[in-house]
Amino acid sequence: SLLERASGIAASAAAAVGEGVNMAKDRVSTTVEGNKMLSDGGPPMEAKILTKAACQSAVQIDAIALGQLEAACKQYTEAAQLLEKQSSDSSVSTANTAEETAEFAALAAKYRERATAMEVVITTLKQSVAPTTPAMSLAESDARQILILKGKAVDVGTQVKQVADQAIADVKTKVAGEGSTA
């Protein structure tokens, strides 16, 4: 009957809510444990958590960097192909000035050289065994998050963004400097 189905749905919903409440309680207790770990352990515990966090960040950034290096290598290879076509294929090179054709040809060689250098680095990195990180309990992970919130540690996303922002700023400075000397 409709009443029995509604009762069944209500019972299932109550069970799901109860399970969610229990999961939340477990999570809060772990967070409390992480905070207690930092309070009771003092500077030595904080140093241990920061050490483990630094290891995690290094391994994560390593993986990110390898992926970005592979993407950059692919982009250099594709750009080199386009530069070669633009400098030598008469169906498109007629749009170029003589200076552009020479520039495109020279850049194609430099892009290929850069892609080849990147391929060597990628191969070397892939042949070596990536390090692992020290084990980190849920309470230690929460302690790490607490340290991040207190500004004593930086999360990986922020680190990667800071490095990327600095690299972009460096390239802009270099390009601006080359433009002023031309």
Side-chain angles (χ1 to χ4, degrees):
S1 82
L2 186 57
L3 184 56
E4 290 172 339
R5 283 184 24 205
S7 292
I9 291 171
S12 294
V17 168
E19 185 178 319
V21 168
N22 287 337
M23 287 173 52
K25 284 180 182 176
D26 289 345
R27 194 70 192 104
V28 166
S29 113
T30 304
T31 303
V32 168
E33 187 181 333
N35 194 36
K36 183 173 177 4
M37 182 184 287
L38 289 171
S39 296
D40 293 351
M45 180 59 69
E46 190 174 295
K48 178 179 97 166
I49 299 300
L50 289 172
T51 298
K52 288 184 173 190
C55 293
Q56 283 186 337
S57 292
V59 170
Q60 289 170 347
I61 290 173
D62 180 311
I64 291 166
L66 180 57
Q68 289 178 333
L69 189 59
E70 289 172 325
C73 181
K74 181 180 178 193
Q75 288 179 340
Y76 270 120
T77 300
E78 290 170 358
Q81 291 168 348
L82 291 171
L83 287 163
E84 288 166 350
K85 180 177 182 174
Q86 192 63 38
S87 65
S88 63
D89 185 337
S90 61
S91 70
V92 291
S93 64
T94 55
N96 305 346
T97 64
E99 293 81 20
E100 287 173 326
T101 298
E103 179 184 32
F104 291 159
L107 285 174
K110 289 180 188 266
Y111 279 37
R112 286 235 180 260
E113 181 182 318
R114 187 67 167 191
T116 300
M118 287 180 173
E119 287 170 359
V120 169
V121 171
I122 291 166
T123 300
T124 301
L125 288 172
K126 286 186 170 184
Q127 288 174 348
S128 68
V129 177
T132 59
T133 62
M136 185 177 274
S137 69
L138 281 176
E140 289 173 325
S141 183
D142 284 342
R144 176 186 186 205
Q145 287 304 115
I146 291 166
L147 292 173
I148 288 170
L149 291 171
K150 289 182 175 182
K152 294 184 177 185
V154 179
D155 66 283
V156 172
T158 301
Q159 287 176 325
V160 169
K161 184 177 180 333
Q162 288 170 344
V163 169
D165 288 348
Q166 185 59 53
I168 291 168
D170 291 348
V171 167
K172 286 180 179 179
T173 300
K174 181 179 179 188
V175 169
E178 290 172 358
S180 65
T181 59

